[in-house]
Structures are given as C-alpha cells and as structure tokens.
Amino acid sequence: MTSANPTAAASATNDVRARHDRAFLGHPAGLGWLSFCELWERFSYYGMQALLVLYLSNYLFMPENIGNVAGMDALRAAIENITGPRSPQQLASAVFGLYVGLVYLTPIFGGLIADRWLGRTKTVVIGALLMAAGHFLMAFETALLPALSCLLLGVGAFKGNIAAQVGDLYAPGDKRRASAFQIFMLAVQIAVIAAPIVCGTLGEKVGWHWGFGSAGVGMLIGLFVYLAGRRWLPPEAPRGNARAQAEEHPPVGRRGLLQVVLLMAILPILMLSIVGNQQYNNGFPLWSQQHMDMTVGSFTVPVTWLQAVDALLSTSTMLASLAFWRWWANRRREPDEITKMALGCFVAAGAPALLMIPALSIEDGGARISILWSFGYALVNNIGFANIMPVGLALYSRVAPRGFQGVMLGIYYLHLFLGNIFVGWLAGLLEVMKGSNFWALHAVLVACAGAGLLVVKLVFGRLLAPDEEQAA
C-alpha cells in the first residue's frame, strides 16, 4: 500500500534508519560516502586554491601576460574603481579574495534550486560537472574568467547541498550531528594535505596547467564516488507533488523565524572569526615568499606545501577536538555550539598574534625567518578553528527550518563570502603596513569575534537551544 504522506514516511524511515545505522565510525554509512566525495571535491578546490594566487601574482597578471586574459580589462577597471590602482600582487590578492568569497555566496542559490526544484542529488551532480569543466578550462590563459565562473556555479550547486545531506542523515535530536560534521570536515583536511602536494608540485615544478588539470581529475573522481554511494544517501521527497512539497516545507513559526533572523544577524561576527585562518591562503604565502627561508637542507620547499602542513596539523587538531569533547561529555555537560565557537575564536586569535614575534625581528633588521613559524601559526590556528567551522555547520543544520536546510547552509557560507573578500582587501595592506601591525590587526579581529559570540550566547542562548531544552 502506498503511503498517503510520502514526505513524512520518507522522513520517519530516514530517522529510524539513522538511529540504528552505525556502520561508519558509529555513524550512518552515508556519512562515509558523503565524506569521501567531499574529500575529492575539496582536493580539486584546494588544489586550485593553492596555485591561484601564486599563478596570478607570479605569472598571469604580470604586464607581459595579463593582456592574454579575455575580459580582464573590464574586471581590473571595476576593482580599481573601488580600490584605486593595484600592483600585480595586489590585483592578484583582490581577484583571489573575490573568487574565494563568491565560492561561499553561490551556495545560497544552489540550496534554493535543490530545496525547491531539482532536489539535492541532481543539483550536486550538475555542480560536480561544472567544477570539472572549470578546472580543465584553467589550462587556457585566455579562459581564466569563464573557468572561474564555471567553478563558482559548480561550487554553488555542490557545497551547501552535500552538507545538507549530511544533516539529513540524522533525526533532529540525534547528538551525533556535531561530531558528524567534524568527521565530514576531517575529509576536507585530508584533501588539503594532498592537494597542495599533488597540484601544487605539478603547478610550480612542471607547469601551472598540469596542476589545474590534476584538480579537474580529482573532481571527476568525487562525482564517481557520489554516484556510487547514492543508495546510502538520505531519501528525497518526490518533486512535482504539491502536497508533498507543502509537507516538506511546513510553516516556520515565530520561534523558527526569530532563529533564522538571529543566525543571519551573526554572520558579520562569523566573518571576523575566519580572517586569521583564510589569510593563511592569501597574504601568508605572499609574506612567506618575501621573508621566510624556504630551504631545508639542499631542498627548496614550494610555497604551496605550506598549505599541506596546515592541513596535516588541521587533521590532527580535528581528531584531538573530537576526542576531547567525547571525553568531556562523559564527565560533564558539553557546551553548546555558540560557546564552543567562541572558545575556538580566542584560541585562533593566538595564531596571527604569534607571527608578530618574527615580524618584529624582521623589522629590527633580522634575517629571513625559519619555516618553523609556519608550523606555529598553523598549529595554534587549527586548534581554534576545529571548533569554529564544523561546529557552525552543525548549528545551522540543526536550527534550519524543515525543507530549507540547503538554503540555510548556503546562508551560513555567506560569512565565508564576506570574510574572503575582506581578507583579499586586508592582504593588500602587506605592501603599506608593517608585518607586526598587519598580524596584530588579524589577532584583534578574531578575538573580537569570540567576544561577540559570547554576547550572543548571553543574550540569545535560549533562543538557539534545542527545542527540548527550551521546553525544559
């Protein structure tokens, strides 16, 4: 007999299955497939990111090459109308920041398309194909802007929807949700270790286009993994059924509306929380080229490898964070998401603060600094960041109104859009500001984010509490 309520039946079946499915590290098997797919998608993205700012500043935006880029005159004029004249390095940082920022704007539209029309699976597949096309177009200098456009549209269709599918694996009250997103982010960290080594080495040592091409191959592998694991993914409501759509998108209610408004209002705070982390991929490699001794023995370490170091430490700190909070929960009450994120900000602020030490040494006439400073920055930053990004994903996934998870996670990524554009502008200050002041500014901004989150907790903590806690 066919259920009269297919959406509710699918949701109930999924909730029951999620509670009993512990095939992957105590979590549903679908988490493993989604994490492995995300690993390859992030391999392609971070392979591209590791090369992009260096490719633009060291090669493509040099006076003898920039004329090869179709449409670049118009884009440069638009940027310089706002910022004033830009050097090749400043223009590269601005374009890089704009690209990485837009990566986190487009998921709102991808979430809307999936939630309202195509469903998550079709939207994710379309996104993967667009991203692969964008990576391969990077092989042609003239096609830089069409390539970046394909990548932006592809990430928009892919990113928020695959994260929403992770949330869909769990019933609303399932306590495994936060750790699921930390496991999901672990896959990202593995990709960030591999991508700079593979794509970065090919790009810097063999040829830029080899690095971008390897990123495209990684995206195609991710698409294959996603399609192979479809049977373990959360079921979707039938499309084109008005009653099913109404049941999948019930009225939000007053409390739900207030929660959504609050989560949108704190985006500027979250934007500040990431500036130290995101600068590692923009201003930090440019600063390192100028001031860091990249020679180990007789080998010159490629600058892109610093991102692999960052990812290796990020993986370790994410595992440590998972273990710590599991240990903590067995002994006392685990703090809520907002509190964890605030604590993470205060720790992460120590990373750019640490760089003030070698920066002051350079300003006093010191020689090039040791590569070990990159380890210090990455270690302190990632201890904090392990409790910011994935915990924020868990918060927005939990609070998202039913049927709007894709859009809500797209809204969450808005802080990365704002933050990366801001970071791109901040990176330009390297040419006009002392290094010690530059890194001190970042430390203050991240610490302010932690203070802002504590204020949110004190004033609006009950509003963001799970329904069962609010009822209690």
Side-chain angles (χ1 to χ4, degrees):
M1 180 181 294
T2 303
S3 171
N5 187 340
T7 303
S11 178
T13 300
N14 189 48
D15 287 352
V16 171
R17 183 177 69 177
R19 282 194 293 270
H20 296 285
D21 183 357
R22 297 179 178 271
F24 179 72
L25 302 177
H27 290 264
L31 177 62
W33 286 98
L34 291 171
S35 297
F36 195 43
C37 174
E38 178 73 354
L39 185 156
W40 283 106
E41 185 271 335
R42 291 289 89 183
F43 172 90
S44 75
Y45 173 76
Y46 283 107
M48 163 78 172
Q49 180 173 281
L51 289 170
L52 186 57
V53 73
L54 297 173
Y55 172 61
L56 298 181
S57 62
N58 294 341
Y59 176 73
L60 194 59
F61 284 0
M62 297 303 290
E64 63 271 22
N65 298 321
I66 194 168
N68 296 332
V69 181
M72 191 61 216
D73 288 343
L75 178 60
R76 182 172 193 167
I79 292 172
E80 293 184 343
N81 280 339
I82 298 171
T83 64
R86 301 279 89 182
S87 68
Q89 176 180 312
Q90 290 175 323
L91 183 62
S93 287
V95 171
F96 180 83
L98 184 62
Y99 163 71
V100 178
L102 287 171
V103 159
Y104 297 105
L105 174 64
T106 54
I108 291 181
F109 305 104
L112 183 63
I113 289 169
D115 287 341
R116 289 296 181 178
W117 295 294
L118 296 182
R120 303 205 206 290
T121 301
K122 289 181 181 178
T123 309
V124 166
V125 170
I126 291 170
L129 291 172
L130 282 169
M131 289 179 68
H135 288 305
F136 292 126
L137 281 173
M138 286 295 295
F140 307 96
E141 294 177 12
T142 188
L144 173 70
L145 300 186
L148 295 180
S149 297
C150 283
L151 289 164
L152 289 171
L153 293 172
V155 172
F158 188 100
K159 191 168 182 61
N161 288 308
I162 197 168
Q165 286 185 308
V166 172
D168 289 343
L169 290 169
Y170 300 89
D174 196 324
K175 298 295 186 182
R176 296 176 295 168
R177 184 185 297 264
S179 63
F181 277 102
Q182 287 187 309
I183 292 171
F184 186 67
M185 290 296 293
L186 269 176
V188 174
Q189 303 313 319
I190 294 170
V192 185
I193 295 171
I197 294 174
V198 176
C199 303
T201 303
L202 287 172
E204 286 195 83
K205 300 294 186 181
V206 181
W208 297 110
H209 306 316
W210 283 88
F212 294 128
S214 63
V217 172
M219 189 64 252
L220 292 178
I221 295 173
L223 175 59
F224 174 79
V225 170
Y226 183 79
L227 294 174
R230 284 181 65 188
R231 60 177 289 196
W232 287 278
L233 302 186
E236 297 192 53
R239 301 283 145 184
N241 182 315
R243 180 177 176 181
Q245 291 298 303
E247 291 165 348
E248 190 181 2
H249 301 86
V252 174
R254 182 177 179 275
R255 183 167 187 260
L257 181 60
L258 289 174
Q259 289 175 321
V260 170
V261 170
L262 177 58
L263 291 181
M264 293 180 68
I266 67 173
L267 289 175
I269 298 175
L270 298 183
M271 177 195 80
L272 296 180
S273 75
I274 66 165
V275 294
N277 184 77
Q278 299 306 106
Q279 202 61 270
Y280 197 91
N281 301 316
N282 193 330
F284 184 73
L286 298 174
W287 187 73
S288 299
Q289 280 188 143
Q290 299 174 16
H291 302 296
M292 189 173 289
D293 182 1
M294 303 300 294
T295 303
V296 177
S298 59
F299 178 70
T300 300
V301 178
V303 175
T304 51
W305 283 23
L306 295 180
Q307 294 183 36
V309 171
D310 174 56
L312 182 62
L313 291 171
S314 181
T315 303
S316 302
T317 54
M318 193 75 73
L319 287 168
S321 178
L322 280 165
F324 173 79
W325 290 120
R326 184 170 296 180
W327 171 85
W328 184 276
N330 289 333
R331 287 161 176 78
R332 49 183 63 86
R333 184 180 178 84
E334 190 171 350
D336 58 36
E337 297 102 334
I338 290 287
T339 303
K340 283 185 180 181
M341 293 168 72
L343 293 173
C345 287
F346 291 128
V347 175
L354 185 66
L355 286 184
M356 292 172 61
I357 300 172
L360 287 168
S361 173
I362 293 168
E363 291 159 20
D364 287 339
R368 284 180 172 262
I369 63 172
S370 168
I371 197 172
L372 293 177
W373 285 106
S374 65
F375 286 81
Y377 184 159
L379 178 61
V380 177
N381 173 71
N382 285 307
I383 291 172
F385 203 67
N387 293 287
I388 300 175
M389 180 70 181
V391 178
L393 276 170
L395 172 65
Y396 278 65
S397 170
R398 174 177 64 78
V399 176
R402 181 178 158 193
F404 290 91
Q405 292 94 333
V407 173
M408 206 60 215
L409 288 174
I411 288 172
Y412 172 69
Y413 288 124
L414 265 180
H415 82 279
L416 290 162
F417 161 68
L418 299 169
N420 279 289
I421 291 177
F422 185 45
V423 163
W425 176 80
L426 285 172
L429 297 178
L430 275 171
E431 292 192 349
V432 297
M433 181 182 283
K434 290 182 178 180
S436 57
N437 293 338
F438 179 82
W439 295 116
L441 174 62
H442 286 69
V444 170
L445 291 173
V446 178
C448 285
L453 288 170
L454 285 183
V455 171
V456 171
K457 164 65 178 175
L458 291 172
V459 178
F460 301 106
R462 287 181 61 80
L463 179 61
L464 291 178
D467 290 340
E468 59 268 24
E469 291 185 22
Q470 177 70 11

